[in-house]
Amino acid sequence: MSAHDVRLFGDAIALSRLEDRFARLKASSLLRLAIEDLFPGRIALVSSFGAESAVLLHMVAQIDQATPVVFVDTGQHFDETLRYRDALVARLGLTSLVNAQPDAAATAAEDPEKFLFASDPDRCCDIRKVQPLARMLTGYDAWITGRKSFQTATRSRLPLFEAEGDRVKVNPLVGWSAADLLDYIRRADLPPHPLVAKGFPSIGCLPCTSRIAPGEDVRAGRWRGRAKTECGIHAESLSQGQDI
């Protein structure tokens, strides 16, 4: 069943069939199915190269190192994240890294001093993350995300497959726990993001990411002090940037 089937039979019906049929597959098998059978040549992994990103990147590299890996380069990432991205790509032999960047005219007009995050973080995320990714995913039938159900309340009921217009999102790690991720990283001998040891278990852009205190939720350091919990990428409409 492909993205064409989703459009043909209706999102809810087609995705429910996918969910029922493949719910018991382990993550690596689900990824292989999506990359090689469901959406061959029409799927990309979107990676933040954050604290847990090495898991999916490693799995994808074991299947097809030429799978497109899209990184949204907002222009405001930690230097450590950019170095980690380059080191992981080289180590895993990934050959199709794509950097999605904000439109230069939009940032010049709305955020010339790179301080929009302070006054309007939703708009900052929209022009620096949501819009660039939407443009980059044009032409793909599906994309792979690294979201897990344990991360936030809004992600607690994530399915394996989601409809996003005519595109499908695949969430192979939805049922994984934090312990599962750590165990995989250890067994695969994958390098950690250098900021994790410094108190950053969830890593986004530098201005909107802070260290967490012992006992805090792992995403407490994202947009601290605001009601905001998502950047807007995972939404009903990428172009609108509405959070779910």
Side-chain angles (χ1 to χ4, degrees):
M1 187 173 290
S2 68
H4 171 73
D5 298 313
V6 173
R7 294 191 290 270
L8 183 62
F9 296 112
D11 294 348
I13 295 174
L15 293 179
S16 178
R17 290 179 181 176
L18 284 173
E19 196 83 17
D20 291 344
R21 185 174 179 183
F22 304 122
R24 295 184 180 181
L25 283 182
K26 62 181 183 179
S28 57
S29 298
L30 182 66
L31 272 176
R32 184 175 296 278
L33 177 76
I35 292 169
E36 296 183 344
D37 299 320
L38 293 178
F39 311 102
R42 306 285 290 178
I43 189 170
L45 167 62
V46 177
S47 179
S48 67
F49 286 86
E52 301 157 347
S53 297
V55 171
L56 271 183
L57 289 162
H58 181 265
M59 287 185 183
V60 167
Q62 302 304 300
I63 298 166
D64 184 357
Q65 292 173 314
T67 301
V69 175
V70 179
F71 172 71
V72 183
D73 189 351
T74 65
Q76 294 191 311
H77 282 293
F78 289 90
D79 287 340
E80 289 91 338
T81 295
L82 301 180
R83 291 196 294 270
Y84 185 60
R85 174 199 62 189
D86 295 343
L88 267 182
V89 166
R91 175 166 178 163
L92 298 176
L94 296 164
T95 61
S96 187
L97 175 68
V98 181
N99 291 305
Q101 297 179 320
D103 178 74
T107 53
E110 297 193 52
D111 195 16
E113 297 180 354
K114 295 188 176 182
F115 209 67
L116 183 60
F117 70 88
S119 60
D120 192 346
D122 287 336
R123 183 57 180 164
C124 184
C125 285
D126 189 48
I127 64 174
R128 291 186 176 276
K129 289 187 176 181
V130 179
Q131 293 181 23
L133 181 60
R135 289 192 296 269
M136 192 58 65
L137 289 177
T138 299
Y140 288 101
D141 286 340
W143 57 293
I144 302 159
T145 91
R147 291 177 298 164
K148 279 76 66 177
S149 61
F150 75 83
Q151 290 175 313
T152 65
T154 57
R155 298 181 180 186
S156 62
R157 297 185 179 180
L158 275 177
L160 288 173
F161 300 93
E162 294 177 86
E164 187 176 68
D166 286 343
R167 195 176 293 117
V168 175
K169 287 195 290 191
V170 185
N171 306 309
L173 300 182
V174 64
W176 283 43
S177 67
D180 293 331
L181 294 163
L182 290 173
D183 184 59
Y184 186 100
I185 289 170
R186 178 187 57 78
R187 287 187 290 105
D189 193 26
L190 296 171
H193 191 297
L195 289 177
V196 171
K198 298 180 180 180
F200 295 84
S202 180
I203 303 157
C205 291
L206 188 155
C208 296
T209 305
S210 60
R211 289 183 176 86
I212 69 167
E216 280 193 302
D217 182 86
V218 294
R219 286 177 64 86
R222 304 291 295 276
W223 303 287
R224 186 179 290 279
R226 298 180 182 271
K228 184 176 176 65
T229 59
E230 298 278 359
C231 65
I233 282 176
H234 297 293
E236 293 181 358
S237 169
L238 279 172
S239 62
Q240 295 174 358
Q242 301 168 339
D243 289 328
I244 58 174

